[in-house]
Amino acid sequence: MKTKIMLFLSLLASLFTGYSQSKTTIEIKDNWYYLNGEKYFIKAIGYEIGARPGQHPYEDVRTDDLDLMKFDLKVIKEGGYNAIRTWSQFSEPQLKLVQNSGLKLIMGIAVAPDKDYGDPKFVKDCEDSVRKVMNYSKKYDCIITYLILNEPQTDHVYKVSGKAFVNLMKDLMTIIHKEHPGIPVTISANAMISDYIDENIFDVYAYNCYDHTEAQTATIGFKDYIKGLYELNGLKKPLITTEFGYSVSHHGFGRYGGNTIAQQTTGLISNYRDLLDAGAVGICPFYYADGWWKGGNATIHNPEQPEEWFGFWGYSDKNDKYGSPRPVWFALRDYMKALIISPKNKEIYTTNKIPLELYTDKETKKVVVKLNDKVLYSKNITKEGYFADQLALAPKGIEDMDLLFEFYNKDNKLIKTESILILDAEKPFELPKLSIEVTPDKDLNAGKIGSIKTNIETKENFKLIDDLRVSFNTHLGWEVGPQATVSIKDQLYKKTISTENFFAIPDNCWIVNASAGVTVQYGKFTFKIHDQKLIFRGDWAKEVGRK
């Protein structure tokens, strides 16, 4: 009888709270999320409720919009996603919906990024706000990460001090760890302006990152740019990307707006591939549906405002509550059926056994890998989620290998194909190299003019196929600073190619990321050789920056 009473009380509690008593356990190890003991790849999407045409999610009186939210969550789950990412906290009724939907949640908590992090009143307001959220959020195990700040600006962190920034972050993390034990806490930093922040003060690394062909994305390339951030942090914790996307506004620049619907589709798939190759174990594109409010008038969809057109779903007019999907929605749904974690595209290997890692949905039942139209590997997949094995290759010398992956369902119907291009060799070999020397090399206070000396060591059979790109990223707001394109086609015969570029150092520039890179080709295989260096002004960033 006692057992029956306890079971009844448990069921009754779940009815009232919408919360399942079977807890999801989260563990961070081996640079992965483990949920209930299994490696878990986060296939998330950015999501805001209260952002329909005519609404402003952060200025209007916030309503729960539960019926619309229920519709959205159903659509998101059917789209192949297993999680959502928000910029501010959900209410408890909204959390109940997420819990019941089966989706996981990376939940933002609205801490203003532009306030004085050291002001005692602001600190107390933040603490009170976090505790208020924890009072109910700690009951829901759909939450797998908290984001306590979004895109702090370099100039602002400088003005309020790195120490104040770190102290506030640690303070809020301590509260969350105490109230909701076991849930990772981090910020959603912006990759282009937050590269100097040592993210090891957080539980996981998280970045908003955009392929706008500027600064490090121009010199290093999108994949290596994000991989480089991971390496700067020391590869000690999981990497998740909390924003990336392509706006289809009518006009824009550098891929920030002005993209066609077709470019949005191909761009998102290309970025997703690059982020997998960079080592991300959580990927969250930006975002579910257009936000008309971002241009200042929520009743008008401004064709000139890129921020209003990143959505995978759009709205026909101000009375359209449900919207309709763009082609990118279906393309990404199909792409996520089987994610190839390893081998990584455009990666160089020096072994005849390469790790095979996949993350598949429940529809995927078989994988076939072909090389030169011959079956190299074939295996049935017995469960959804993480899958690991090895590919046995036999390179002769150095070979560019175009591996064709095919995925099938239970009826042996092809549901996805993807090509992974690698360079493999039977033994280690030397690659061309690129290195830079930066002046000033330690402190920006040492001069008004900076220089980047680039040195390229060429190698036989490796062809330089592009201009040299050089960037002096000054971190002035969203401005990335000057760039240079240097033609080296007249020097390709040389064993060593050297160039130098000069840049003015603004007085209000507190950090520079100096970088340079060029594209190299071997057969069909292309890759970037590159280098970057961070130079600070004085020691202002010693509490938060890299030494």
Side-chain angles (χ1 to χ4, degrees):
M1 177 63 72
K2 183 177 180 181
T3 301
K4 290 182 178 179
I5 291 173
M6 293 299 292
L7 179 59
F8 171 76
L9 291 174
S10 177
L11 291 171
L12 190 63
S14 68
L15 287 174
F16 277 102
T17 64
Y19 168 64
S20 169
Q21 298 301 309
S22 59
K23 293 283 289 182
T24 298
T25 61
I26 301 175
E27 187 179 6
I28 299 296
K29 65 177 182 178
D30 306 325
N31 290 1
W32 272 84
Y33 279 72
Y34 281 75
L35 267 58
N36 298 328
E38 300 284 340
K39 281 185 176 179
Y40 189 84
F41 190 94
I42 302 170
K43 298 186 290 184
I45 189 167
Y47 176 74
E48 290 177 298
I49 189 67
R52 253 77 176 178
Q55 294 180 318
H56 193 302
Y58 307 114
E59 290 183 357
D60 298 340
V61 176
R62 298 191 66 173
T63 58
D64 287 335
D65 281 335
L66 297 182
D67 288 339
L68 286 174
M69 186 173 175
K70 190 173 183 179
F71 169 83
D72 292 343
L73 296 180
K74 181 175 182 293
V75 166
I76 289 170
K77 193 169 184 181
E78 290 173 348
Y81 299 92
N82 59 19
I84 55 176
R85 176 259 162 119
T86 72
W87 287 258
S88 60
Q89 61 271 16
F90 278 162
S91 68
E92 185 162 11
Q94 291 171 335
L95 274 179
K96 289 178 183 178
L97 276 187
V98 178
Q99 183 80 31
N100 292 333
S101 74
L103 292 165
K104 300 303 181 184
L105 174 60
I106 299 173
M107 190 168 83
I109 295 180
V111 172
D114 57 350
K115 302 297 183 181
D116 183 352
Y117 305 146
D119 176 29
K121 182 179 184 307
F122 178 67
V123 171
K124 185 177 185 306
D125 288 344
C126 290
E127 293 172 342
D128 291 345
S129 176
V130 168
R131 287 194 176 97
K132 185 177 179 180
V133 174
M134 291 300 109
N135 284 338
Y136 62 87
S137 69
K138 63 186 177 183
K139 296 184 289 183
Y140 298 90
D141 66 350
C142 59
I143 300 172
I144 59 172
T145 302
Y146 286 101
L147 299 175
I148 53 175
L149 195 68
N150 189 65
E151 296 184 339
Q153 292 279 323
T154 304
D155 187 62
H156 185 68
V157 175
Y158 167 79
K159 288 177 179 176
V160 302
S161 83
K163 183 178 181 180
F165 169 78
V166 171
N167 287 346
L168 177 61
M169 296 300 99
K170 288 184 175 180
D171 183 24
L172 300 183
M173 288 174 66
T174 298
I175 294 171
I176 295 172
H177 287 155
K178 180 180 179 181
E179 295 295 324
H180 203 168
I183 309 302
V185 185
T186 187
I187 66 170
S188 44
N190 184 286
M192 194 63 71
I193 64 172
S194 304
D195 47 8
Y196 68 95
I197 295 176
D198 185 347
E199 285 218 347
N200 287 292
I201 64 176
F202 304 108
D203 298 324
V204 297
Y205 311 142
Y207 290 98
N208 301 339
C209 41
Y210 290 87
D211 185 12
H212 289 160
T213 66
E214 59 186 2
Q216 293 98 287
T217 57
T219 57
I220 297 175
F222 188 65
K223 180 198 79 171
D224 287 352
Y225 157 54
I226 304 304
K227 184 180 179 181
L229 285 172
Y230 199 9
E231 291 169 344
L232 281 172
N233 283 306
L235 304 170
K236 298 174 183 177
K237 299 176 181 181
L239 168 68
I240 58 176
T241 55
T242 41
E243 285 184 27
F244 70 100
Y246 279 68
S247 168
V248 294
S249 62
H250 288 214
H251 297 94
F253 58 93
R255 295 183 187 160
Y256 177 61
N259 300 290
T260 66
I261 290 173
Q263 287 171 328
Q264 182 187 44
T265 301
T266 57
L268 261 294
I269 297 296
S270 176
N271 282 176
Y272 213 107
R273 179 68 260 163
D274 281 344
L275 294 170
L276 286 169
D277 298 330
V281 296
I283 295 180
C284 175
F286 184 77
Y287 62 154
Y288 173 64
D290 283 344
W292 288 26
W293 60 276
K294 291 200 167 189
N297 186 342
T299 64
I300 297 174
H301 205 187
N302 186 343
E304 307 301 320
Q305 173 51 263
E307 289 291 325
E308 291 194 11
W309 294 84
F310 275 93
F312 289 11
W313 284 57
Y315 302 101
S316 59
D317 56 50
K318 64 181 181 181
N319 297 314
D320 184 1
K321 291 184 177 181
Y322 295 98
S324 59
R326 294 184 176 127
V328 65
W329 178 261
F330 303 105
L332 209 50
R333 177 199 62 187
D334 294 341
Y335 186 79
M336 293 189 299
K337 288 182 181 298
L339 299 176
I340 303 167
I341 310 297
S342 176
K344 298 186 180 301
N345 195 46
K346 294 188 178 181
E347 189 76 10
I348 299 170
Y349 295 91
T350 54
T351 177
N352 59 2
K353 288 186 178 180
I354 295 177
L356 173 64
E357 295 178 280
L358 310 172
Y359 200 87
T360 62
D361 71 359
K362 61 184 178 182
E363 186 182 356
T364 305
K365 297 300 182 184
K366 186 171 75 170
V367 56
V368 175
V369 184
K370 295 179 180 178
L371 177 61
N372 299 326
D373 300 319
K374 296 179 182 179
V375 174
L376 176 69
Y377 177 92
S378 180
K379 195 86 173 245
N380 291 330
I381 296 174
T382 58
K383 67 184 181 89
E384 64 179 308
Y386 182 77
F387 173 94
D389 203 349
Q390 285 186 330
L391 289 178
L393 302 176
K396 297 177 181 178
I398 304 172
E399 285 192 52
D400 53 327
M401 296 184 175
D402 201 351
L403 302 173
L404 176 62
F405 283 74
E406 298 176 342
F407 298 95
Y408 296 84
N409 66 11
K410 63 181 179 61
D411 299 320
N412 212 34
K413 179 182 177 182
L414 186 65
I415 57 174
K416 178 189 172 180
T417 63
E418 185 172 5
S419 169
I420 298 292
L421 184 61
I422 67 170
L423 194 66
D424 196 16
E426 54 189 344
K427 61 182 180 180
F429 59 94
E430 287 193 12
L431 293 166
K433 296 178 183 178
L434 184 151
S435 60
I436 62 172
E437 296 178 24
V438 184
T439 304
D441 63 342
K442 294 179 181 178
D443 189 343
L444 295 177
N445 285 317
K448 297 286 188 179
I449 301 295
S451 76
I452 300 176
K453 293 181 180 179
T454 305
N455 187 67
I456 302 171
E457 298 175 30
T458 63
K459 292 293 177 183
E460 189 177 358
N461 298 324
F462 289 89
K463 182 181 179 182
L464 305 182
I465 62 169
D466 202 358
D467 292 334
L468 171 69
R469 302 291 297 274
V470 183
S471 170
F472 202 72
N473 184 352
T474 51
H475 293 67
L476 299 180
W478 295 114
E479 299 298 323
V480 296
Q483 301 178 109
T485 300
V486 182
S487 175
I488 55 175
K489 62 182 180 181
D490 295 334
Q491 303 184 63
L492 296 179
Y493 65 93
K494 295 181 179 179
K495 289 186 176 181
T496 301
I497 299 173
S498 298
T499 68
E500 185 171 13
N501 297 88
F502 295 90
F503 306 93
I505 304 175
D507 291 338
N508 60 337
C509 166
W510 317 122
I511 173 178
V512 161
N513 187 322
S515 64
V518 68
T519 303
V520 179
Q521 182 176 30
Y522 184 97
K524 292 191 292 184
F525 185 86
T526 61
F527 62 103
K528 287 272 193 179
I529 55 173
H530 52 78
D531 193 14
Q532 65 176 321
K533 296 188 186 302
L534 294 168
I535 314 296
F536 294 91
R537 186 179 294 278
D539 63 355
W540 74 271
K542 63 182 179 181
E543 294 91 355
V544 66
R546 309 176 195 285
K547 303 299 186 289

